[in-house]
Amino acid sequence: MLRDPQEQREEKEHDARVLPDSQRKPRDEEIDIYGLTHIGRVRESNQDHFVIASLRKQVVVHFTSLPDSGALAQLAERAALVGMVADGAGGDVGGEHASRLAVEGAMRYLVLSMNCYYAAAADDDTFADALHQAAMRCHAELLDRADEDHMLHGMATTLTLWLGVWPRSYLLQVGDSRAYLLRDGQLTQVSRDQTMAQELVDLGALPRIEAASPRLMHTLSSAIGGPQTAPTVTRFEQRWGDVALLCSDGLVRHVPNERIAERLRTMRSARQACEDLLQDALDEGGTDNVTVLVARAVPR
């Protein structure tokens, strides 16, 4: 039996009022999210790119006798929320191309693979594999593009992609653009830097990251388009009150975790947090491009 669109809307509004915040999915107006990127104070070009997007279950009305078919289209539900940061390498032209192509390619693959969101409800492995394949396809596309244009030879990029399918999140990581989670006032880095310094620490060859040289700390052991790419996908639960942060290393080169945590704990909005963190990086030198994305769910 077909249900009236108005009835379905009223049912969703009723659920939002009755269900506790811990059980219901945030409505669109309860998503506080913002992102920005800045060239910094030293670089001549910005090789960072980012995207924030909602992926929706689409309603396409082909034929109807209803006088207002737009009411049906309004039922389209948010299936996932995507945040993505890419930090290019390989020269001004190559780095900018690499990060842009990676973001565009990953977004294109996600849009064409909407079925993976429905599979996620029953099979995490299938969903994680879809994200892994998105990274590998981007990697192959960059290698092909570099072969076609010698000016782009050696281009590569990081790719950190946060995809929220409430109440779960999936983090795709290649390179050293970071993802943080502030939960109950505690800041945790949920990504792992894919750098030579981190590899040596993990192998026991270095006692701690602080002992590494700047060169090792900023040399990628894995990158989209690089000599080696090793995408990792991590799954974790989302909660009301969590604050997520994605950033390029232009932020963490100058702003310590303690300062990041303070900014997120005292934030009034995602936009204000992004702008304050950017200013912190610029005030401390701004030696690299800076990209910051912040997101949280705020009950209304």
Side-chain angles (χ1 to χ4, degrees):
M1 177 179 176
L2 294 176
R3 299 175 59 196
D4 179 69
Q6 178 63 27
E7 179 184 346
Q8 294 184 49
R9 285 198 297 272
E10 290 176 354
E11 181 178 297
K12 287 185 178 181
E13 292 172 359
H14 175 268
D15 288 345
R17 291 193 299 269
V18 174
L19 290 175
D21 290 338
S22 60
Q23 296 181 23
R24 68 176 178 88
K25 180 170 74 173
R27 301 186 300 272
D28 288 352
E29 64 269 22
E30 294 178 309
I31 302 296
D32 179 24
I33 190 167
Y34 194 75
L36 53 75
T37 187
H38 192 282
I39 192 173
R41 298 194 183 282
V42 176
R43 299 296 179 91
E44 297 182 355
S45 65
N46 192 345
Q47 299 180 49
D48 288 1
H49 279 290
F50 78 93
V51 67
I52 297 171
S54 292
L55 302 181
R56 296 183 176 276
K57 301 175 184 177
Q58 187 178 16
V59 175
V60 179
V61 178
H62 296 290
F63 303 99
T64 182
S65 62
L66 295 175
D68 181 16
S69 62
L72 295 177
Q74 292 175 9
L75 296 177
E77 181 183 355
R78 185 183 72 252
L81 189 67
V82 179
M84 203 180 322
V85 171
D87 180 358
D92 290 346
V93 176
E96 191 279 333
H97 270 70
S99 61
R100 176 171 54 83
L101 292 173
V103 168
E104 292 174 348
M107 200 70 221
R108 183 170 59 252
Y109 184 79
L110 290 178
V111 170
L112 293 175
S113 304
M114 280 295 290
N115 62 308
C116 70
Y117 303 124
Y118 309 117
D123 188 348
D124 275 345
D125 291 339
T126 299
F127 192 57
D129 184 64
L131 292 176
H132 187 276
Q133 290 303 314
M136 296 308 297
R137 289 194 180 194
C138 291
H139 178 65
E141 289 175 4
L142 257 66
L143 293 179
D144 290 342
R145 186 66 179 273
D147 287 341
E148 296 170 0
D149 186 347
H150 73 278
M151 294 292 293
L152 302 178
H153 181 72
M155 70 173 178
T157 183
T158 70
L159 180 64
T160 298
L161 187 160
W162 183 303
L163 196 146
V165 188
W166 191 270
R168 286 169 289 180
S169 285
Y170 297 83
L171 179 68
L172 169 66
Q173 170 93 36
V174 183
D176 66 349
S177 293
R178 289 185 178 179
Y180 289 92
L181 182 69
L182 183 78
R183 173 172 290 171
D184 298 329
Q186 299 298 313
L187 186 70
T188 303
Q189 181 182 336
V190 293
S191 61
R192 172 188 172 276
D193 295 345
Q194 293 184 332
T195 62
M196 291 305 299
Q198 187 63 60
E199 297 292 342
L200 291 173
V201 169
D202 292 346
L203 291 171
L206 272 177
R208 61 188 188 282
I209 287 291
E210 292 78 4
S213 67
R215 179 183 178 185
L216 289 176
M217 292 180 66
H218 301 302
T219 299
L220 298 178
S221 60
S222 170
I224 300 289
Q228 178 178 337
T229 183
T232 62
V233 178
T234 306
R235 173 192 179 278
F236 48 92
E237 297 298 313
Q238 296 183 97
R239 300 179 189 172
W240 287 87
D242 289 351
V243 182
L245 166 70
L246 302 185
C247 64
S248 60
D249 67 347
L251 176 70
V252 297
R253 286 188 184 198
H254 297 294
V255 185
N257 287 354
E258 294 77 11
R259 182 60 169 169
I260 293 174
E262 178 186 354
R263 288 298 193 189
L264 297 184
R265 291 190 197 106
T266 59
M267 64 184 284
R268 299 183 301 276
S269 69
R271 177 171 183 167
Q272 171 251 326
C274 288
E275 291 174 347
D276 287 350
L277 286 168
L278 168 62
Q279 193 60 53
D280 288 339
L282 296 178
D283 290 345
E284 294 300 321
T287 59
D288 200 354
N289 309 144
V290 184
T291 300
V292 187
L293 278 62
V294 172
R296 62 177 180 168
V298 183
R300 300 185 187 280

